Amino acid sequence: GRGGGSGAMGGSGSLLPREALGEYQELTFLSKQEILLAYKRFSELLPKEERANACAVRVPKSQILTLPELRANPFRHRICRVFSTSEHGDDSMSFEDFLDMLSVFSDSATSDIKSHYAFRIFDFDDDGTLDRKDLEKLVDCLTGQGEESRLSNVEMEQLIRNILEESDIDKDGTINLSEFQHVVSRSPDFARYSLSW
């Protein structure tokens, strides 16, 4: 890390530099207030001694998962994976990662952006298409992992066949991004569900 000053500001003096604020407004769908609130929330996920330097440090995934919005989200692990730019693959987040996530989840984000990220979140093996394995995991996440709510193999097979029939326009057995966006444009609730707080 970079050498930290003695932090004369101390306490809650960890404010976002004004020039950064303007830049973040241009790069996200968030208002000034939302960005400042995000900065406060992000700082609070850090140990006290790192807060003054919040723009330059990463928050571990375990802390990100404590956010009330993610705690109940069945895709929380995928969300951390997709928004994290960590080079160590530990799904930790920088403040900019965190802002990107909040931006995509905000009501102001366009449906194109939302569906693009929903697709990436559902693409569990990160290979650029939704195949049967991805769809099975997707259904598992949505139906909950409990024994009583889990689908039987027959039900799962039927459901995946239905999803592919609806979505797989070129009939190659997988759903690509444009096919996914086509489906979502007809039933926007689908993307909203996966990306709702």
Side-chain angles (χ1 to χ4, degrees):
R2 284 163 238 166
S6 60
M9 294 285 289
S12 57
S14 52
L15 292 173
L16 200 54
R18 185 164 299 151
E19 61 277 13
L21 189 57
E23 202 175 302
Y24 290 143
Q25 262 185 285
E26 282 171 32
L27 296 172
T28 65
F29 295 101
L30 303 171
S31 68
K32 249 188 190 127
Q33 274 63 40
E34 288 171 318
I35 292 167
L36 291 170
L37 180 61
Y39 188 73
K40 181 176 184 290
R41 292 187 70 191
F42 185 79
S43 301
E44 286 167 0
L45 294 172
L46 291 165
K48 287 206 165 44
E49 62 277 8
E50 290 187 2
R51 286 181 189 172
N53 204 16
C55 274
V57 290
R58 305 187 73 86
V59 165
K61 175 183 179 181
S62 56
Q63 281 298 98
I64 299 287
L65 290 176
T66 65
L67 294 167
E69 297 94 332
L70 283 182
R71 227 177 284 153
N73 190 309
F75 301 104
R76 56 190 175 275
H77 296 288
R78 286 295 305 160
I79 290 168
C80 289
R81 167 58 46 97
V82 164
F83 287 97
S84 168
T85 55
S86 168
E87 288 163 13
H88 306 294
D90 58 7
D91 298 350
S92 62
M93 286 197 193
S94 65
F95 178 58
E96 295 188 359
D97 295 345
F98 185 68
L99 267 192
D100 276 341
M101 176 176 76
L102 292 181
S103 176
V104 169
F105 279 94
S106 80
D107 292 339
S108 323
T110 63
S111 56
D112 254 13
I113 294 272
K114 282 189 185 291
S115 58
H116 172 79
Y117 278 96
F119 181 84
R120 286 184 57 193
I121 288 165
F122 298 159
D123 179 15
F124 288 86
D125 56 10
D126 298 310
D127 68 351
T129 64
L130 305 187
D131 56 23
R132 286 175 160 270
K133 278 212 166 56
D134 292 325
L135 295 175
E136 278 180 27
K137 285 189 174 162
L138 170 56
V139 172
D140 269 342
C141 279
L142 290 175
T143 54
Q145 305 290 335
E147 285 307 311
E148 62 290 336
S149 57
R150 188 170 287 153
L151 300 183
S152 71
N153 291 347
V154 177
E155 291 168 321
M156 177 71 90
E157 181 52 45
Q158 187 55 53
L159 184 54
I160 287 179
R161 194 176 301 142
N162 291 350
I163 294 173
L164 286 170
E165 243 160 56
E166 283 282 298
S167 324
D168 180 18
I169 299 165
D170 62 10
K171 300 295 172 221
D172 67 349
T174 66
I175 302 169
N176 61 34
L177 177 60
S178 62
E179 289 170 336
F180 180 77
Q181 288 185 313
H182 179 69
V183 176
V184 171
S185 67
R186 293 183 319 198
S187 53
D189 290 349
F190 188 58
R192 201 174 305 130
Y193 177 83
S194 56
L195 294 178
S196 65
W197 284 114

